[in-house]
PDB file of all heavy atoms in Angstrom:
ATOM      1  N   LYS A 246      -7.142  -4.094 -10.388  1.00 98.00           N
ATOM      2  CA  LYS A 246      -7.101  -4.491  -8.977  1.00 98.00           C
ATOM      3  C   LYS A 246      -8.261  -3.853  -8.227  1.00 98.00           C
ATOM      4  O   LYS A 246      -8.497  -2.642  -8.349  1.00 98.00           O
ATOM      5  CB  LYS A 246      -5.762  -4.065  -8.362  1.00 98.00           C
ATOM      6  CG  LYS A 246      -5.639  -4.365  -6.893  1.00 98.00           C
ATOM      7  CD  LYS A 246      -5.855  -3.145  -6.044  1.00 98.00           C
ATOM      8  CE  LYS A 246      -6.063  -3.475  -4.585  1.00 98.00           C
ATOM      9  NZ  LYS A 246      -6.221  -2.266  -3.752  1.00 98.00           N
ATOM     10  N   PHE A 247      -8.978  -4.665  -7.461  1.00 98.00           N
ATOM     11  CA  PHE A 247     -10.099  -4.152  -6.673  1.00 98.00           C
ATOM     12  C   PHE A 247      -9.797  -4.293  -5.186  1.00 98.00           C
ATOM     13  O   PHE A 247      -9.445  -5.382  -4.720  1.00 98.00           O
ATOM     14  CB  PHE A 247     -11.396  -4.883  -7.037  1.00 98.00           C
ATOM     15  CG  PHE A 247     -11.831  -4.590  -8.444  1.00 98.00           C
ATOM     16  CD1 PHE A 247     -11.395  -5.387  -9.492  1.00 98.00           C
ATOM     17  CD2 PHE A 247     -12.625  -3.488  -8.717  1.00 98.00           C
ATOM     18  CE1 PHE A 247     -11.766  -5.106 -10.808  1.00 98.00           C
ATOM     19  CE2 PHE A 247     -12.998  -3.192 -10.025  1.00 98.00           C
ATOM     20  CZ  PHE A 247     -12.568  -4.002 -11.066  1.00 98.00           C
ATOM     21  N   GLY A 248      -9.939  -3.185  -4.472  1.00 95.00           N
ATOM     22  CA  GLY A 248      -9.632  -3.164  -3.037  1.00 95.00           C
ATOM     23  C   GLY A 248     -10.771  -3.752  -2.217  1.00 95.00           C
ATOM     24  O   GLY A 248     -11.828  -4.116  -2.747  1.00 95.00           O
ATOM     25  N   GLY A 249     -10.535  -3.840  -0.903  1.00 95.00           N
ATOM     26  CA  GLY A 249     -11.474  -4.485   0.012  1.00 95.00           C
ATOM     27  C   GLY A 249     -12.887  -3.927  -0.039  1.00 95.00           C
ATOM     28  O   GLY A 249     -13.857  -4.693  -0.012  1.00 95.00           O
ATOM     29  N   LEU A 277      -7.606  -9.300  -6.538  1.00 98.00           N
ATOM     30  CA  LEU A 277      -8.555  -8.926  -5.489  1.00 98.00           C
ATOM     31  C   LEU A 277      -7.896  -8.886  -4.114  1.00 98.00           C
ATOM     32  O   LEU A 277      -7.058  -9.730  -3.782  1.00 98.00           O
ATOM     33  CB  LEU A 277      -9.717  -9.926  -5.423  1.00 98.00           C
ATOM     34  CG  LEU A 277     -10.592 -10.105  -6.665  1.00 98.00           C
ATOM     35  CD1 LEU A 277     -11.752 -11.047  -6.347  1.00 98.00           C
ATOM     36  CD2 LEU A 277     -11.136  -8.770  -7.178  1.00 98.00           C
ATOM     37  N   SER A 278      -8.297  -7.879  -3.323  1.00 98.00           N
ATOM     38  CA  SER A 278      -7.937  -7.836  -1.897  1.00 98.00           C
ATOM     39  C   SER A 278      -8.917  -8.721  -1.137  1.00 98.00           C
ATOM     40  O   SER A 278      -9.899  -9.201  -1.692  1.00 98.00           O
ATOM     41  CB  SER A 278      -8.112  -6.423  -1.344  1.00 98.00           C
ATOM     42  OG  SER A 278      -7.216  -5.539  -1.893  1.00 98.00           O
ATOM     43  N   ALA A 279      -8.679  -8.831   0.164  1.00 98.00           N
ATOM     44  CA  ALA A 279      -9.651  -9.477   1.049  1.00 98.00           C
ATOM     45  C   ALA A 279     -10.861  -8.555   1.197  1.00 98.00           C
ATOM     46  O   ALA A 279     -10.743  -7.340   1.004  1.00 98.00           O
ATOM     47  CB  ALA A 279      -9.016  -9.712   2.402  1.00 98.00           C
ATOM     48  N   LEU A 280     -12.033  -9.105   1.545  1.00 97.00           N
ATOM     49  CA  LEU A 280     -13.201  -8.261   1.809  1.00 97.00           C
ATOM     50  C   LEU A 280     -12.834  -7.269   2.915  1.00 97.00           C
ATOM     51  O   LEU A 280     -12.110  -7.625   3.844  1.00 97.00           O
ATOM     52  CB  LEU A 280     -14.397  -9.089   2.299  1.00 97.00           C
ATOM     53  CG  LEU A 280     -14.841 -10.323   1.523  1.00 97.00           C
ATOM     54  CD1 LEU A 280     -16.215 -10.766   1.983  1.00 97.00           C
ATOM     55  CD2 LEU A 280     -14.845 -10.101   0.037  1.00 97.00           C
ATOM     56  N   SER A 281     -13.368  -6.041   2.826  1.00 96.00           N
ATOM     57  CA  SER A 281     -12.959  -5.022   3.790  1.00 96.00           C
ATOM     58  C   SER A 281     -13.204  -5.503   5.221  1.00 96.00           C
ATOM     59  O   SER A 281     -14.218  -6.123   5.513  1.00 96.00           O
ATOM     60  CB  SER A 281     -13.701  -3.711   3.541  1.00 96.00           C
ATOM     61  OG  SER A 281     -15.070  -3.947   3.472  1.00 96.00           O
ATOM     62  N   GLY A 282     -12.241  -5.225   6.077  1.00 97.00           N
ATOM     63  CA  GLY A 282     -12.355  -5.625   7.485  1.00 97.00           C
ATOM     64  C   GLY A 282     -11.745  -6.990   7.776  1.00 97.00           C
ATOM     65  O   GLY A 282     -11.393  -7.286   8.919  1.00 97.00           O
ATOM     66  N   THR A 283     -11.588  -7.829   6.740  1.00 98.00           N
ATOM     67  CA  THR A 283     -11.109  -9.193   7.003  1.00 98.00           C
ATOM     68  C   THR A 283      -9.658  -9.224   7.481  1.00 98.00           C
ATOM     69  O   THR A 283      -9.338  -9.902   8.461  1.00 98.00           O
ATOM     70  CB  THR A 283     -11.274 -10.089   5.754  1.00 98.00           C
ATOM     71  OG1 THR A 283     -12.660 -10.181   5.444  1.00 98.00           O
ATOM     72  CG2 THR A 283     -10.723 -11.474   5.984  1.00 98.00           C
ATOM     73  N   THR A 284      -8.774  -8.496   6.796  1.00 98.00           N
ATOM     74  CA  THR A 284      -7.361  -8.564   7.206  1.00 98.00           C
ATOM     75  C   THR A 284      -7.194  -8.044   8.638  1.00 98.00           C
ATOM     76  O   THR A 284      -6.457  -8.627   9.430  1.00 98.00           O
ATOM     77  CB  THR A 284      -6.460  -7.801   6.209  1.00 98.00           C
ATOM     78  OG1 THR A 284      -6.742  -8.293   4.898  1.00 98.00           O
ATOM     79  CG2 THR A 284      -4.989  -8.014   6.502  1.00 98.00           C
ATOM     80  N   ASN A 285      -7.914  -6.975   8.977  1.00 98.00           N
ATOM     81  CA  ASN A 285      -7.852  -6.487  10.365  1.00 98.00           C
ATOM     82  C   ASN A 285      -8.323  -7.561  11.330  1.00 98.00           C
ATOM     83  O   ASN A 285      -7.699  -7.789  12.369  1.00 98.00           O
ATOM     84  CB  ASN A 285      -8.729  -5.243  10.551  1.00 98.00           C
ATOM     85  CG  ASN A 285      -8.094  -4.012   9.919  1.00 98.00           C
ATOM     86  OD1 ASN A 285      -6.908  -4.009   9.621  1.00 98.00           O
ATOM     87  ND2 ASN A 285      -8.886  -2.978   9.708  1.00 98.00           N
ATOM     88  N   ILE A 288      -5.706 -10.202  11.709  1.00 98.00           N
ATOM     89  CA  ILE A 288      -4.585  -9.730  12.545  1.00 98.00           C
ATOM     90  C   ILE A 288      -4.964  -9.859  14.025  1.00 98.00           C
ATOM     91  O   ILE A 288      -4.171 -10.324  14.850  1.00 98.00           O
ATOM     92  CB  ILE A 288      -4.206  -8.275  12.185  1.00 98.00           C
ATOM     93  CG1 ILE A 288      -3.517  -8.271  10.814  1.00 98.00           C
ATOM     94  CG2 ILE A 288      -3.301  -7.647  13.251  1.00 98.00           C
ATOM     95  CD1 ILE A 288      -3.222  -6.896  10.262  1.00 98.00           C
ATOM     96  N   LEU A 358      -3.019 -14.668   7.953  1.00 98.00           N
ATOM     97  CA  LEU A 358      -3.288 -13.434   7.206  1.00 98.00           C
ATOM     98  C   LEU A 358      -3.650 -13.694   5.744  1.00 98.00           C
ATOM     99  O   LEU A 358      -4.315 -12.888   5.111  1.00 98.00           O
ATOM    100  CB  LEU A 358      -2.073 -12.492   7.272  1.00 98.00           C
ATOM    101  CG  LEU A 358      -1.660 -12.041   8.675  1.00 98.00           C
ATOM    102  CD1 LEU A 358      -0.570 -10.978   8.598  1.00 98.00           C
ATOM    103  CD2 LEU A 358      -2.845 -11.486   9.441  1.00 98.00           C
ATOM    104  N   GLY A 361      -7.723 -14.186   3.991  1.00 98.00           N
ATOM    105  CA  GLY A 361      -8.632 -13.164   3.460  1.00 98.00           C
ATOM    106  C   GLY A 361      -8.670 -13.146   1.937  1.00 98.00           C
ATOM    107  O   GLY A 361      -9.742 -13.195   1.312  1.00 98.00           O
ATOM    108  N   GLU A 362      -7.491 -13.101   1.316  1.00 98.00           N
ATOM    109  CA  GLU A 362      -7.433 -13.038  -0.146  1.00 98.00           C
ATOM    110  C   GLU A 362      -7.822 -14.382  -0.769  1.00 98.00           C
ATOM    111  O   GLU A 362      -8.411 -14.427  -1.847  1.00 98.00           O
ATOM    112  CB  GLU A 362      -6.034 -12.616  -0.613  1.00 98.00           C
ATOM    113  CG  GLU A 362      -5.799 -11.106  -0.693  1.00 98.00           C
ATOM    114  CD  GLU A 362      -5.770 -10.397   0.635  1.00 98.00           C
ATOM    115  OE1 GLU A 362      -5.644 -11.064   1.678  1.00 98.00           O
ATOM    116  OE2 GLU A 362      -5.881  -9.147   0.654  1.00 98.00           O
ATOM    117  N   GLY A 423      -4.365 -10.639  -4.417  1.00 98.00           N
ATOM    118  CA  GLY A 423      -3.380  -9.613  -4.095  1.00 98.00           C
ATOM    119  C   GLY A 423      -2.683 -10.003  -2.802  1.00 98.00           C
ATOM    120  O   GLY A 423      -3.062 -10.985  -2.145  1.00 98.00           O
ATOM    121  N   TYR A 424      -1.650  -9.270  -2.441  1.00 98.00           N
ATOM    122  CA  TYR A 424      -1.047  -9.295  -1.101  1.00 98.00           C
ATOM    123  C   TYR A 424      -0.226 -10.540  -0.784  1.00 98.00           C
ATOM    124  O   TYR A 424       0.864 -10.437  -0.253  1.00 98.00           O
ATOM    125  CB  TYR A 424      -2.189  -9.119  -0.091  1.00 98.00           C
ATOM    126  CG  TYR A 424      -1.895  -9.136   1.371  1.00 98.00           C
ATOM    127  CD1 TYR A 424      -1.034  -8.199   1.954  1.00 98.00           C
ATOM    128  CD2 TYR A 424      -2.527 -10.068   2.220  1.00 98.00           C
ATOM    129  CE1 TYR A 424      -0.825  -8.195   3.324  1.00 98.00           C
ATOM    130  CE2 TYR A 424      -2.318 -10.055   3.590  1.00 98.00           C
ATOM    131  CZ  TYR A 424      -1.464  -9.131   4.139  1.00 98.00           C
ATOM    132  OH  TYR A 424      -1.277  -9.129   5.489  1.00 98.00           O
ATOM    133  N   ILE A 425      -0.709 -11.750  -1.128  1.00 98.00           N
ATOM    134  CA  ILE A 425      -0.013 -12.945  -0.643  1.00 98.00           C
ATOM    135  C   ILE A 425       1.074 -13.410  -1.613  1.00 98.00           C
ATOM    136  O   ILE A 425       1.017 -13.171  -2.811  1.00 98.00           O
ATOM    137  CB  ILE A 425      -0.981 -14.108  -0.323  1.00 98.00           C
ATOM    138  CG1 ILE A 425      -1.760 -14.564  -1.560  1.00 98.00           C
ATOM    139  CG2 ILE A 425      -1.954 -13.694   0.763  1.00 98.00           C
ATOM    140  CD1 ILE A 425      -2.614 -15.811  -1.313  1.00 98.00           C
ATOM    141  N   LYS A 437       3.016  -6.957   2.776  1.00 95.00           N
ATOM    142  CA  LYS A 437       2.707  -5.935   3.795  1.00 95.00           C
ATOM    143  C   LYS A 437       1.339  -5.298   3.556  1.00 95.00           C
ATOM    144  O   LYS A 437       0.759  -5.435   2.485  1.00 95.00           O
ATOM    145  CB  LYS A 437       3.782  -4.840   3.833  1.00 95.00           C
ATOM    146  CG  LYS A 437       5.200  -5.368   3.889  1.00 95.00           C
ATOM    147  CD  LYS A 437       5.849  -5.039   5.227  1.00 95.00           C
ATOM    148  CE  LYS A 437       7.093  -5.850   5.447  1.00 95.00           C
ATOM    149  NZ  LYS A 437       8.202  -5.488   4.589  1.00 95.00           N
ATOM    150  N   ARG A 438       0.860  -4.578   4.590  1.00 93.00           N
ATOM    151  CA  ARG A 438      -0.487  -4.019   4.530  1.00 93.00           C
ATOM    152  C   ARG A 438      -0.703  -3.198   3.259  1.00 93.00           C
ATOM    153  O   ARG A 438       0.180  -2.433   2.863  1.00 93.00           O
ATOM    154  CB  ARG A 438      -0.774  -3.124   5.759  1.00 93.00           C
ATOM    155  CG  ARG A 438      -0.905  -3.840   7.073  1.00 93.00           C
ATOM    156  CD  ARG A 438      -1.849  -5.017   7.054  1.00 93.00           C
ATOM    157  NE  ARG A 438      -3.212  -4.767   6.621  1.00 93.00           N
ATOM    158  CZ  ARG A 438      -4.216  -4.430   7.416  1.00 93.00           C
ATOM    159  NH1 ARG A 438      -4.004  -4.260   8.699  1.00 93.00           N
ATOM    160  NH2 ARG A 438      -5.439  -4.271   6.941  1.00 93.00           N
ATOM    161  N   GLY A 439      -1.836  -3.347   2.674  1.00 93.00           N
ATOM    162  CA  GLY A 439      -2.140  -2.617   1.446  1.00 93.00           C
ATOM    163  C   GLY A 439      -1.411  -3.178   0.227  1.00 93.00           C
ATOM    164  O   GLY A 439      -1.401  -2.573  -0.844  1.00 93.00           O
ATOM    165  N   GLY A 440      -0.800  -4.357   0.379  1.00 96.00           N
ATOM    166  CA  GLY A 440       0.086  -4.881  -0.656  1.00 96.00           C
ATOM    167  C   GLY A 440      -0.566  -5.368  -1.940  1.00 96.00           C
ATOM    168  O   GLY A 440       0.136  -5.698  -2.899  1.00 96.00           O
ATOM    169  N   SER A 441      -1.897  -5.384  -1.998  1.00 97.00           N
ATOM    170  CA  SER A 441      -2.534  -5.830  -3.246  1.00 97.00           C
ATOM    171  C   SER A 441      -2.215  -4.897  -4.419  1.00 97.00           C
ATOM    172  O   SER A 441      -2.131  -5.343  -5.560  1.00 97.00           O
ATOM    173  CB  SER A 441      -4.048  -5.899  -3.080  1.00 97.00           C
ATOM    174  OG  SER A 441      -4.368  -6.863  -2.127  1.00 97.00           O
ATOM    175  N   ASP A 442      -2.046  -3.621  -4.127  1.00 96.00           N
ATOM    176  CA  ASP A 442      -1.641  -2.682  -5.193  1.00 96.00           C
ATOM    177  C   ASP A 442      -0.285  -3.110  -5.759  1.00 96.00           C
ATOM    178  O   ASP A 442      -0.041  -3.045  -6.961  1.00 96.00           O
ATOM    179  CB  ASP A 442      -1.444  -1.259  -4.637  1.00 96.00           C
ATOM    180  CG  ASP A 442      -2.696  -0.659  -4.065  1.00 96.00           C
ATOM    181  OD1 ASP A 442      -3.783  -1.189  -4.339  1.00 96.00           O
ATOM    182  OD2 ASP A 442      -2.585   0.350  -3.342  1.00 96.00           O
ATOM    183  N   TYR A 443       0.590  -3.502  -4.844  1.00 97.00           N
ATOM    184  CA  TYR A 443       1.943  -3.919  -5.225  1.00 97.00           C
ATOM    185  C   TYR A 443       1.850  -5.169  -6.108  1.00 97.00           C
ATOM    186  O   TYR A 443       2.495  -5.258  -7.162  1.00 97.00           O
ATOM    187  CB  TYR A 443       2.714  -4.198  -3.940  1.00 97.00           C
ATOM    188  CG  TYR A 443       4.222  -4.186  -4.037  1.00 97.00           C
ATOM    189  CD1 TYR A 443       4.881  -3.732  -5.170  1.00 97.00           C
ATOM    190  CD2 TYR A 443       5.004  -4.633  -2.973  1.00 97.00           C
ATOM    191  CE1 TYR A 443       6.268  -3.722  -5.233  1.00 97.00           C
ATOM    192  CE2 TYR A 443       6.383  -4.628  -3.022  1.00 97.00           C
ATOM    193  CZ  TYR A 443       7.013  -4.180  -4.154  1.00 97.00           C
ATOM    194  OH  TYR A 443       8.382  -4.178  -4.209  1.00 97.00           O
ATOM    195  N   HIS A 500      -0.312   1.951  -2.376  1.00 89.00           N
ATOM    196  CA  HIS A 500       0.841   1.388  -1.659  1.00 89.00           C
ATOM    197  C   HIS A 500       2.113   1.998  -2.262  1.00 89.00           C
ATOM    198  O   HIS A 500       2.302   1.942  -3.483  1.00 89.00           O
ATOM    199  CB  HIS A 500       0.819  -0.127  -1.867  1.00 89.00           C
ATOM    200  CG  HIS A 500       1.835  -0.874  -1.056  1.00 89.00           C
ATOM    201  ND1 HIS A 500       3.182  -0.758  -1.270  1.00 89.00           N
ATOM    202  CD2 HIS A 500       1.697  -1.747  -0.035  1.00 89.00           C
ATOM    203  CE1 HIS A 500       3.828  -1.538  -0.423  1.00 89.00           C
ATOM    204  NE2 HIS A 500       2.937  -2.144   0.340  1.00 89.00           N
TER     205      HIS A 500
HETATM  206  N1  LIG B 141      -5.857  -7.269   2.532  1.00 93.41           N
HETATM  207  C1  LIG B 141      -4.573  -6.635   2.700  1.00 93.41           C
HETATM  208  C2  LIG B 141      -4.707  -5.465   3.664  1.00 93.41           C
HETATM  209  O1  LIG B 141      -5.801  -5.165   4.109  1.00 93.41           O
HETATM  210  C3  LIG B 141      -3.969  -6.197   1.417  1.00 93.41           C
HETATM  211  C4  LIG B 141      -4.724  -5.143   0.666  1.00 93.41           C
HETATM  212  O2  LIG B 141      -5.909  -4.929   0.895  1.00 93.41           O
HETATM  213  O3  LIG B 141      -4.121  -4.491  -0.200  1.00 93.41           O
HETATM  214  O4  LIG B 141      -3.730  -4.857   3.971  1.00 93.41           O
END
Side-chain angles (χ1 to χ4, degrees):
K246 177 258 166 178
F247 294 90
L277 300 185
S278 293
L280 309 194
S281 51
T283 298
T284 307
N285 286 344
I288 288 174
L358 300 187
E362 273 68 15
Y424 179 60
I425 61 174
K437 311 247 165 70
R438 291 310 304 270
S441 296
D442 298 345
Y443 200 10
H500 187 293

